[in-house]
């Protein structure tokens, strides 16, 4: 019972809430999304059980490196290379290159 109370107390801690919001925004950035509706973000947070207002969201995200711009219409994420997150072909090519290099090095070390 007490553990549940502690969890609930910590859940509404501003730092915990900030972590949750930044996790959502980082996930969006990883999918290549560079703009998010603050209204939709507030709805997602409400669905997760976090009571948040627009002004609270501004205060929470003010000065964060991930945020390029925030206003009533849009939250712009400061992603410098969104293609890096969503470019599957490049990721596969990089993985193949790493694999070939590792095999080459292993063969060299065992004398093949």
């Amino acid at each position: 019972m007490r553990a549940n109370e502690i969890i609930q107390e910590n859940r509404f801690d501003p730092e915990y809430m900030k972590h949750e919001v930044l996790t959502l925004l980082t996930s969006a950035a990883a999918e290549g999304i560079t703009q998010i509706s603050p209204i939709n973000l507030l709805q997602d947070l409400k669905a997760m059980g976090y009571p948040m207002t627009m002004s609270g969201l501004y205060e929470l995200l003010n000065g964060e490196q991930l945020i390029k711009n925030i206003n009533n219409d849009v939250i712009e994420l400061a992603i410098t290379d969104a293609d890096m997150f969503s470019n599957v072909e490049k990721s596969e090519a990089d993985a193949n290159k790493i694999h070939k290099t590792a095999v080459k090095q292993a063969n060299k070390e065992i004398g093949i």
Side-chain angles (χ1 to χ4, degrees):
M1 178 84 164
R2 178 67 181 137
N4 188 34
E5 290 173 9
I6 292 171
I7 290 169
Q8 290 301 319
E9 288 171 11
N10 289 336
R11 185 169 187 204
F12 297 110
D13 174 52
E15 286 301 313
Y16 184 82
M17 290 175 68
K18 185 177 199 174
H19 170 75
E20 291 295 314
V21 171
L22 291 175
T23 299
L24 285 172
L25 295 175
T26 302
S27 297
E31 294 176 13
I33 298 170
T34 58
Q35 295 184 343
I36 296 174
S37 163
I39 301 298
N40 290 343
L41 180 59
L42 288 172
Q43 289 172 345
D44 289 345
L45 291 170
K46 184 178 179 182
M48 293 170 63
Y50 296 110
M52 179 78 64
T53 62
M54 188 68 79
S55 61
L57 188 61
Y58 288 145
E59 187 176 317
L60 196 70
L61 296 177
N62 187 27
E64 284 298 317
Q65 290 181 347
L66 182 62
I67 307 302
K68 182 177 181 180
N69 183 29
I70 183 170
N71 59 45
N72 286 337
D73 299 320
V74 69
I75 298 172
E76 290 182 74
L77 302 179
I79 303 301
T80 56
D81 192 3
D83 292 337
M84 176 183 76
F85 292 114
S86 61
N87 191 339
V88 175
E89 292 172 3
K90 183 180 182 327
S91 297
E92 289 175 1
D94 289 345
N96 288 337
K97 183 178 179 181
I98 291 169
H99 175 74
K100 288 178 184 178
T101 304
V103 169
K104 184 178 178 179
Q105 183 63 32
N107 287 340
K108 182 179 176 183
E109 288 179 8
I110 61 174
I112 296 178

